């Protein structure tokens, strides 16, 4: 479940990891074995080889420090998140400058508290304002803070400060990768450049298929016009000029209340569990198998999404053997076009509403 690309990482071709010197290759293999790396030792060997090549490439010290620090940050963050990999998590974005007493911050606190009560965990940027309000609502035990080291403004809020799940990053790109890698949903409240950056990056990654489709909810205080104005800009200057498609608008939802936002997120996982690509095929894992009749209707309804064939029910594919813990899940498989992920979101919504075997009781 840690592959935020939805199987894209699994589909990467195996890389050669040889120095060209058999004796040296054996030294690397022995090092990995002696250290004790039971999980995918060949990938550890490949990373060691890449590092050695950096040294022999004559890279400057600044580049080497960048690569070294980045790898350390990614490794440490993965270690912190690992014990919680089976917990669903929602990332909350929003301004660090919003007072906790503002209605929009109160809404963020309520949103996080509601999802905590549904056994979700909350991830924020660990700052004050919207982030601190969400952290307060979730409570330290159910929170992660992904802090960024800045010369001003950013410090860990009081609701996550000192917790083992507070991670500090030097680089925005390693921090942003962890937001997307660990998220099962994204919630955006009004904010500045950073919030806009996170919103458009998430949409870009989903629109291009570089990250798995997740629910993205946009919330404001009651009567607020922040996202309404943003949406109008998208329509007037992007959609009108055909710089995006109408289906791209299915990748997010502007919600008028905390209740609506929570329902949007939880309904996404009503029957849907996860998906992964197996070459040109897309496998959608579910918690309940749709009836044959429902699948036939979906094939007709989403014929425009299919390259060929139809949507069909299936057992786990042979290529899914590296995720045996998911073999018990029912699933459907299809061969879709890979250029309309807004339409894929609609298919997931339809699967969540489809008739299932045994009913929903």
């Amino acid at each position: 479940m840690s592959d935020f690309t939805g199987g894209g990482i699994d589909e990467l071709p195996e890389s050669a990891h040889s120095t060209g010197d058999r004796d040296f290759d054996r030294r690397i293999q022995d090092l990995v074995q002696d250290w004790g790396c039971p999980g995918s030792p060949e990938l550890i060997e490949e990373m060691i080889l890449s590092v050695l090549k950096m040294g022999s490439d004559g890279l400057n010290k600044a580049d080497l420090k960048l690569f070294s620090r980045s790898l350390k940050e990614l490794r440490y963050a993965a270690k912190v998140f690992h014990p919680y990999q089976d917990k669903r998590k929602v990332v909350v974005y929003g301004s660090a400058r919003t007072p906790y007493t503002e209605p929009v911050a109160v809404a963020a606190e309520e949103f996080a508290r509601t999802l905590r009560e549904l056994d979700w965990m909350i991830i924020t940027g660990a700052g004050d304002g919207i982030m601190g309000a969400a952290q307060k609502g979730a409570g330290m035990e159910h929170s992660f803070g992904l802090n960024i080291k800045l010369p001003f403004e950013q410090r860990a809020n009081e609701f996550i400060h000192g917790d083992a799940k507070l991670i500090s990053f030097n680089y925005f790109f390693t921090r942003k990768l962890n937001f997307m890698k660990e998220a099962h949903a994204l919630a955006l409240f009004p904010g500045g450049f950073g919030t806009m950056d996170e919103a458009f990056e998430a949409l870009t990654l989903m629109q291009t298929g570089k990250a798995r489709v997740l629910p993205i909810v946009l919330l404001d205080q009651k009567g607020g016009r922040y996202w309404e104005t943003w949406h109008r800009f998208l329509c007037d200057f992007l959609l009108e000029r055909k710089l995006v498609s109408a289906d791209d608008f299915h990748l997010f939802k502007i919600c008028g209340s905390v209740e609506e936002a929570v329902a949007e997120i939880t309904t996404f996982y009503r029957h849907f569990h996860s998906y992964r690509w197996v070459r040109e095929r897309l496998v959608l894992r579910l918690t309940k198998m749709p009836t044959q009749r429902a699948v036939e209707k979906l094939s007709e309804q989403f014929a425009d999404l299919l390259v060929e064939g139809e949507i069909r029910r299936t057992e786990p594919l042979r290529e899914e053997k590296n995720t045996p813990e998911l073999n018990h899940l029912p699933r459907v498989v299809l061969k879709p076009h890979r250029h309309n992920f807004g339409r894929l979101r609609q298919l997931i919504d339809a699967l969540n509403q489809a008739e299932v075997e045994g009913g929903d009781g």
Side-chain angles (χ1 to χ4, degrees):
M1 288 301 295
S2 61
D3 180 4
F4 78 102
T5 65
I9 290 176
D10 285 325
E11 293 305 303
L12 291 175
E14 294 291 331
S15 300
H17 51 278
S18 172
T19 63
D21 183 324
R22 300 179 75 175
D23 290 337
F24 210 100
D25 288 346
R26 173 55 60 184
R27 290 170 64 185
I28 294 175
Q29 292 167 7
D30 290 343
L31 175 64
V32 172
Q33 183 176 356
D34 292 345
W35 183 263
C37 302
S40 303
E42 70 283 355
L43 291 175
I44 306 298
E45 294 166 15
E46 184 178 338
M47 285 190 279
I48 291 173
L49 179 56
S50 294
V51 171
L52 293 175
K53 286 182 176 180
M54 288 181 196
S56 61
D57 286 342
L59 301 182
N60 61 51
K61 188 174 182 179
D63 281 345
L64 292 174
K65 288 182 73 173
L66 169 65
F67 300 146
S68 175
R69 179 59 67 87
S70 301
L71 188 58
K72 287 180 180 178
E73 292 187 354
L74 292 172
R75 174 255 168 187
Y76 180 72
K79 180 182 178 182
V80 172
F81 276 109
H82 182 73
Y84 306 92
Q85 58 186 321
D86 294 329
K87 286 277 192 178
R88 284 193 175 138
K89 308 171 192 73
V90 58
V91 175
V92 176
Y93 298 116
S95 175
R97 306 183 187 190
T98 303
Y100 288 144
T101 55
E102 288 291 311
V104 68
V106 174
E109 181 181 343
E110 180 187 352
F111 172 80
R113 182 184 301 110
T114 303
L115 278 170
R116 180 202 68 197
E117 292 170 353
L118 295 172
D119 202 30
W120 282 62
M121 298 188 78
I122 307 298
I123 305 173
T124 82
D128 289 316
I130 296 297
M131 294 175 282
Q135 221 97 58
K136 179 182 178 183
M140 186 180 291
E141 183 180 348
H142 298 272
S143 293
F144 293 88
L146 276 54
N147 195 32
I148 184 73
K149 297 177 182 177
L150 295 176
F152 67 96
E153 190 175 85
Q154 187 76 356
R155 63 175 178 81
N157 64 67
E158 61 184 295
F159 306 106
I160 195 65
H161 179 73
D163 188 71
K165 301 189 300 304
L166 172 64
I167 308 167
S168 293
F169 294 87
N170 279 279
Y171 306 117
F172 272 109
F173 72 88
T174 52
R175 180 185 187 230
K176 291 165 78 171
L177 173 59
N178 276 278
F179 279 134
M180 291 301 300
K181 184 169 78 74
E182 301 297 336
H184 296 86
L186 306 174
L188 292 105
F189 290 80
F193 289 158
T195 302
M196 289 291 95
D197 177 47
E198 301 290 3
F200 281 116
E201 178 167 28
L203 289 170
T204 299
L205 290 171
M206 293 184 198
Q207 180 202 47
T208 57
K210 301 302 284 186
R212 62 182 184 267
V213 173
L214 303 172
I216 299 179
V217 295
L218 312 175
L219 297 95
D220 198 350
Q221 66 191 60
K222 187 174 181 179
R225 300 180 59 195
Y226 184 95
W227 294 114
E228 175 189 323
T229 303
W230 177 82
H231 187 270
R232 189 164 59 249
F233 164 77
L234 297 187
C235 291
D236 292 348
F237 293 95
L238 300 185
L239 183 61
E240 182 70 22
R241 301 182 186 190
K242 298 183 179 179
L243 302 177
V244 297
S245 73
D247 284 334
D248 292 331
F249 285 64
H250 294 293
L251 295 173
F252 62 87
K253 183 175 183 180
I254 299 174
C255 298
S257 67
V258 167
E259 293 78 11
E260 184 182 2
V262 170
E264 173 73 4
I265 291 171
T266 55
T267 301
F268 183 85
Y269 294 101
R270 183 186 181 200
H271 297 155
F272 173 74
H273 181 275
S274 59
Y275 69 78
R276 66 166 288 182
W277 291 93
V278 178
R279 293 186 294 277
E280 75 279 4
R281 291 174 294 176
L282 179 63
V283 179
L284 293 160
R285 307 181 188 107
L286 310 166
T287 55
K288 293 192 176 183
M289 178 66 86
T291 64
Q292 179 60 33
R293 177 185 174 187
V295 171
E296 290 172 358
K297 288 183 177 180
L298 290 173
S299 288
E300 296 176 3
Q301 183 181 350
F302 291 91
D304 60 298
L305 185 60
L306 303 177
V307 174
E308 63 180 24
E310 59 188 7
I311 302 172
R312 61 181 179 83
R313 306 192 300 177
T314 184
E315 297 293 322
L317 302 186
R318 177 176 53 82
E319 293 86 350
E320 296 181 86
K321 64 182 179 181
N322 62 336
T323 54
E325 69 278 9
L326 301 178
N327 283 351
H328 67 285
L329 294 173
R331 56 201 72 199
V332 298
V333 65
L334 60 150
K335 290 185 179 181
H337 295 287
R338 300 181 76 154
H339 57 71
N340 192 338
F341 290 89
R343 195 78 173 113
L344 173 59
R345 170 58 202 265
Q346 289 182 290
L347 173 58
I348 293 172
D349 289 343
L351 280 165
N352 282 319
Q353 299 299 323
E355 179 186 4
V356 295
E357 293 186 344
D360 278 318

